[in-house]
């Protein structure tokens, strides 16, 4: 990738800055009044998803300038380089090919002169064969009992996607098997998850790209002890543990039969891996056929992102709108509110996807950026959030663009409740955009003393994303929508969205502190005064010499 001009020096950036000055105070009420067709015009569709972006603080000129910025930053060239398998993760010298994970069997994607698609499908086939055996009960535990409980041990990208997808697609899952997730190194989590499980019926999936992550390896050792304490034979490990990793040697060393290992590759980033073998728990839950549907949903959006014209390209436009608010309005956060209970963990999943990808302070050349990069992502399902933090979005002093997500078809047979859910979804977008003026309140009989408190200024922007129903396929499409949205932002900002050096320092320091907490004698502490005092306080609390 060649060095490009600093973002803030580009012609389109300067034009956007000038344009922002002109429209920053324009109200969505005026924009809709001036153009009654706006709500139908500013809608695009692709891969079964609809994006209504009309309730954003934009005009046609904004979109024109954002697309110009996209062209000036060569976003499409970088996109094509990603799909071709070029090493666009330059700081780790790696290709970025999560798109290959969902490509059809006949596709060709070359990495270092080799077509990776046959390997991808070989792993998918092995996963499917294994999942079928577990689901029909022919894969038994050491004592001959079928598997009734699956525990995925993993953290970050080796946990958030599997847990999110399991919750989202539970309707499609095998109810004879219960699914659990252990991520935190806090031993309380493992203890709580396993307390009611029968070891003889439990399968652990140790999910770790590196197979070195402290939390995962510690929980895996605890799990191994839990199985051995109950079943009293090393031979039980092979029946109760499988691994998902890129690190065969470490898997073997741990004692897991590498025949029971499902691999992936260094060109799959952790936070982009839920559709690799990391999705084993998902496939166990919903079956191989539904899992293929999930992958097809991802692929639908890949194809849309790759081929749709920029002005009709959902992830591209969402990424550019994020840049618009983040860099011109100076917003710091984005709310993501799925109006679907099963998507409760979707915001948490998106936190890692977006914040680990785009929380970067230098550009691809290592220069400190003079513009804002990744936003803080947060959210909760609607309508829950309406009764907790929406007040601040409606009437607070901060501007918080929100993505509101919904599905037309109910997942349960309770259509009435689904109508209520969707009414709330549409109402929130309307209230956030248009608010309520003092005049309107007075006309409705609001007492004067209350009116200032009841005024809702509106002009709070939202994206509305609708799909027909929550299925494996639409979930895949939604995740890929955000993957490529994140990509677009990173390409505009010219940052490496695929490394995560920032998380390393804390890991190194934790490894240094562990023996200082556990030492029998009094350790010589060489940290700052605060860290030293915290370590001493902890040791004292546990009755250790200080
Ligand atoms: O801490 C960051 C991170 O490296 C994530 O990027 C990754 O998803 C997670 O840790 C887990 O890593 P692994 O799958 O190697 O255990």
């Amino acid at each position: 990738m060649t060095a490009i001009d600093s973002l803030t020096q580009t012609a389109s950036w300067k034009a956007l800055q000038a344009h922002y000055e002109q429209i920053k105070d324009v109200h969505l009420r005026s924009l809709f009044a001036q153009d009654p067709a706006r709500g139908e015009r500013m809608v695009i569709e692709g891969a079964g998803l609809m994006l209504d972006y009309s309730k954003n603080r934009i005009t046609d000129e904004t979109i024109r300038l954002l697309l110009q910025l996209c062209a000036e930053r060569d976003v499409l060239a970088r996109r094509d380089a990603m799909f071709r398998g070029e090493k666009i993760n330059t700081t780790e010298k790696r290709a970025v090919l999560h798109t290959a994970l969902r490509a059809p069997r006949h596709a060709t994607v070359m990495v270092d002169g080799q077509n990776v698609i046959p390997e991808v499908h070989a792993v998918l086939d092995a996963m499917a064969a294994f999942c079928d055996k577990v689901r029909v009960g022919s894969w038994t535990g050491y004592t001959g009992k079928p598997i009734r409980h699956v525990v995925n041990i993993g953290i970050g990208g080796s946990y958030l996607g599997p847990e999110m997808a399991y919750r989202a697609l539970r309707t499609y899952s095998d109810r004879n098997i219960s699914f659990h997730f252990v991520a935190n190194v806090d031993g309380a989590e493992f203890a709580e998850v396993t307390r009611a499980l029968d070891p003889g019926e439990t399968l652990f999936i140790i999910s770790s790209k590196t197979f070195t992550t402290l939390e995962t390896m510690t929980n895996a050792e605890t799990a191994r002890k839990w199985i051995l304490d109950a079943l009293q034979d090393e031979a039980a490990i092979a029946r109760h543990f499988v691994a998902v990793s890129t690190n065969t040697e470490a898997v073997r060393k741990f004692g897991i039969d590498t025949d029971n290992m499902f691999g992936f590759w260094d060109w799959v980033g952790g936070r982009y891996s839920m559709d690799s073998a990391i999705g084993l728990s998902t496939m166990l839950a919903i079956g191989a056929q539904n899992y293929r549907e999930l992958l097809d949903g991802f692929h639908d959006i890949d194809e849309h992102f790759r081929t749709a014209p920029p002005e009709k390209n959902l992830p591209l436009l969402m990424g550019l709108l994020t840049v618009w608010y983040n860099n011109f309005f100076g917003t710091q956060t984005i709310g993501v509110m799925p109006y679907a209970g099963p998507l409760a963990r979707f915001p948490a999943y998106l936190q890692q996807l977006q914040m680990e990808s785009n929380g970067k302070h230098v550009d691809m050349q290592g220069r400190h950026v003079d513009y804002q990069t990744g936003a803080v992502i947060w959210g909760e399902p609607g309508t829950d959030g309406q009764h907790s933090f929406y007040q601040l979005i409606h009437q607070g002093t901060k501007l918080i663009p929100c993505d509101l997500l919904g599905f037309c078809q109910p997942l349960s047979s309770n259509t009435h409740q689904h109508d209520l859910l969707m009414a709330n979804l549409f109402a929130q977008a309307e209230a956030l955009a248009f608010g309520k003026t003092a005049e309107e309140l007075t006309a409705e009989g609001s007492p004067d003393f209350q009116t200032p408190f009841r005024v809702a200024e509106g002009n709070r922007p939202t994206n509305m994303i609708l799909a027909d129903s929550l299925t494996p396929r639409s979930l895949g499409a939604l995740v890929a929508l955000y993957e490529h949205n994140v990509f677009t932002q990173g390409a505009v900002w010219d940052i490496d969205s695929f490394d995560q050096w920032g998380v390393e320092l804390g890991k190194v320091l934790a490894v240094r502190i562990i023996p200082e907490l556990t030492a029998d004698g009094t350790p010589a502490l060489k940290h700052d005064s605060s860290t030293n005092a915290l370590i001493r306080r902890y040791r004292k609390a546990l009755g250790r010499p200080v």
Side-chain angles (χ1 to χ4, degrees), residues 155-158 207-211 213 216 270-271 352 356 500 503 507:
I155 197 162
S158 301
S207 296
S208 174
K209 180 175 170 182
T210 55
F211 229 71
T213 304
T216 302
R271 54 193 173 274
Q352 187 200 15
E356 202 166 76
Q500 58 284 318
V503 295
K507 290 186 191 172

Side-chain angles (χ1 to χ4, degrees), residues 373-480:
T373 61
V376 175
I377 305 297
W378 61 282
E380 284 288 331
T383 59
D384 306 24
Q386 291 173 208
H387 299 275
S388 83
F389 51 74
Y390 273 45
Q391 165 65 32
L392 186 145
I393 310 177
H394 282 288
Q395 282 191 316
T397 53
K398 294 176 173 54
L399 186 65
I400 303 176
C402 291
D403 291 350
L404 305 178
L405 280 59
F407 300 91
C408 294
Q409 306 297 333
L411 211 50
S412 79
S413 56
N414 195 333
T415 311
H416 169 61
Q417 286 194 217
H418 192 68
D419 291 339
L420 301 185
L421 178 69
M422 296 305 280
N424 273 278
L425 167 60
F426 300 145
Q428 288 301 320
E430 189 177 17
L432 286 164
F434 304 110
K436 184 130 261 196
T437 63
E439 295 71 35
E440 286 166 341
L441 284 161
T442 305
E444 287 171 11
S446 163
D448 282 352
F449 80 95
Q450 268 186 357
T451 299
F453 303 97
R454 296 173 70 171
V455 164
E457 289 166 344
N459 222 10
R460 270 68 171 161
T462 56
N463 282 322
M464 175 72 68
I465 299 160
L466 284 186
D468 187 53
S469 57
L470 179 52
T471 60
R473 194 164 189 139
S474 65
L475 181 70
L478 268 180
V479 174

